[in-house]
Amino acid sequence: ALVRSPMMLERTEVLRSGATGMFFAAVAKSQTVAQGALIGHVSDFHGKKLEEIKAPFAGEILYVIGTPPISKGEPVAMIGSAK
């Protein structure tokens, strides 16, 4: 099928975990978010929050992982913006 109105993304960024633990998403794929919006958080294996991952700029969530276990440096989501 042909795409009727393609959107060209000018800016994209893969968001990565800064810690090993469990990732819990606060957004869904295709959701529009503002700069600084909470994308999700990483907790240790006992439930202690280690970090919050926030949107570096306003845009659309292109993907977000759905499996909680995460290692430091692994991607958790990708954001893109046409502006």
Side-chain angles (χ1 to χ4, degrees), residues 36-63:
L38 181 66
I39 302 301
H41 74 272
V42 178
S43 296
D44 68 14
F45 297 108
H46 302 287
K48 179 184 174 191
K49 190 182 288 185
L50 300 175
E51 75 168 332
E52 290 186 335
I53 299 171
K54 297 188 177 184
F57 54 87
E60 182 176 325
I61 301 300
L62 303 176
Y63 74 78

Side-chain angles (χ1 to χ4, degrees), residues 13-38:
E13 188 170 330
V14 174
L15 308 177
R16 297 181 180 276
S17 176
T20 296
M22 304 290 280
F23 174 71
F24 299 95
V27 296
K29 179 183 166 207
S30 301
Q31 184 174 333
T32 301
V33 296
Q35 181 175 355
L38 181 66

